[in-house]
Amino acid sequence: MARFNLRVYALIINEFDEILLSDECRFGQFFSKFPGGGVEANEGIQAALHRELKEELNLEVPHAEFFYVNDFHQASAFDNSSLVAFYYLIQLPKSTLLLNNNYTIPFSEETEKQRWVPLNILHKEHLTFPIDRLVLEKLLKLKFGHTAP
């Protein structure tokens, strides 16, 4: 039987309609995605979201609104597991996160960096993973009445 890989991601949007992206290089592969990561054993989905945001961004979030979970099979990009991804919408002032956006993508060092991207110029091709692309389309439809180009 195939293994399930539970993931949780944050759609963090500031007052300027910018969304936070996480650029990462793992196992020699560069990718851009929404901040978040894996759910650990004996951990709830929201607890994993809060832990991931604390680990990745040193961020404590008071409120996260459920936005989406995939209800179809999606193979993981990294192993032979079946991915189930939960997404939560979070509104935060831009000043909450002080980021160093002065980096070039793609990069090859094993690390992760974050940047704000205006939603009105974000294209689904800027995101690496299929479910993130689908979620971006749903988010743009909700906020602006259209999908990603």
Side-chain angles (χ1 to χ4, degrees), residues 116-137:
W116 291 109
V117 177
L119 270 171
N120 64 350
I121 66 164
L122 185 59
H123 296 257
K124 58 186 177 183
E125 291 78 21
H126 295 144
L127 297 165
T128 304
F129 302 117
I131 301 176
D132 284 356
R133 291 175 174 184
L134 174 68
V135 166
L136 175 62
E137 287 185 4

Side-chain angles (χ1 to χ4, degrees), residues 28-124:
Q29 181 180 350
F30 176 83
F31 47 92
S32 293
K33 65 179 195 61
F34 297 115
V39 177
E40 296 178 355
N42 302 314
E43 184 176 47
I45 304 301
Q46 281 214 1
L49 175 69
H50 290 280
R51 177 187 48 76
E52 284 288 338
L53 294 177
K54 183 68 174 165
E55 288 175 4
E56 290 183 12
L57 305 169
N58 196 28
L59 182 64
E60 303 221 8
V61 177
H63 177 73
E65 178 183 341
F66 176 77
F67 185 75
Y68 180 80
V69 63
N70 63 302
D71 59 357
F72 55 87
H73 169 73
Q74 177 64 55
S76 171
F78 298 101
D79 59 27
N80 63 354
S81 65
S82 183
L83 187 69
V84 179
F86 298 83
Y87 292 80
Y88 286 84
L89 189 57
I90 298 170
Q91 300 282 336
L92 281 182
K94 187 172 185 173
S95 60
T96 305
L97 288 171
L98 301 175
L99 304 175
N100 177 6
N101 288 339
N102 296 328
Y103 61 91
T104 304
I105 56 173
F107 49 81
S108 58
E109 67 267 17
E110 294 275 322
T111 189
E112 62 186 68
K113 302 175 184 185
Q114 289 77 31
R115 62 188 160 113
W116 291 109
V117 177
L119 270 171
N120 64 350
I121 66 164
L122 185 59
H123 296 257
K124 58 186 177 183

